Amino acid sequence: ATLYRLLTLRNSPNLLEAMETMKVNDKVWRELLKPITDFNPKVPAELANLVHQCLEYSPKRRPQSMSDVQERITQLMQEL
């Protein structure tokens, strides 16, 4: 959520708040979570994809550990 905010200058949707007002599932969550590149087209696609993976509705689809995230960010930095 912090990276989403830094890259878009907007808060990511709050899942708990959304669940209070509507039935949220994976499809609804993806519609609520607008693509980072819609707000900031300068963000590399790989970084935007990583942030969106971290914010997935289903925990099984998120990176399993912060070390996985760190490794991917390090790899992205080396590619830039």
Side-chain angles (χ1 to χ4, degrees), residues 50-65:
L50 174 60
V51 174
H52 279 276
Q53 286 175 352
C54 290
L55 295 172
E56 280 284 349
Y57 175 77
S58 171
K60 293 178 182 179
R61 297 180 66 172
R62 298 178 201 150
Q64 296 303 301
S65 68

Side-chain angles (χ1 to χ4, degrees), residues 22-78:
M22 66 180 81
K23 182 174 174 128
V24 177
N25 58 28
D26 191 52
K27 181 181 177 190
V28 171
W29 180 246
R30 286 175 188 241
E31 290 173 6
L32 290 173
L33 187 63
K34 301 294 183 200
I36 290 170
T37 53
D38 283 3
F39 302 113
N40 187 350
K42 294 181 181 180
V43 175
E46 298 85 7
L47 179 58
N49 290 338
L50 174 60
V51 174
H52 279 276
Q53 286 175 352
C54 290
L55 295 172
E56 280 284 349
Y57 175 77
S58 171
K60 293 178 182 179
R61 297 180 66 172
R62 298 178 201 150
Q64 296 303 301
S65 68
M66 281 307 294
S67 61
D68 291 343
V69 174
Q70 180 183 6
E71 183 178 316
R72 289 183 58 194
I73 289 174
T74 300
Q75 185 178 21
L76 288 171
M77 288 174 40
Q78 291 172 350

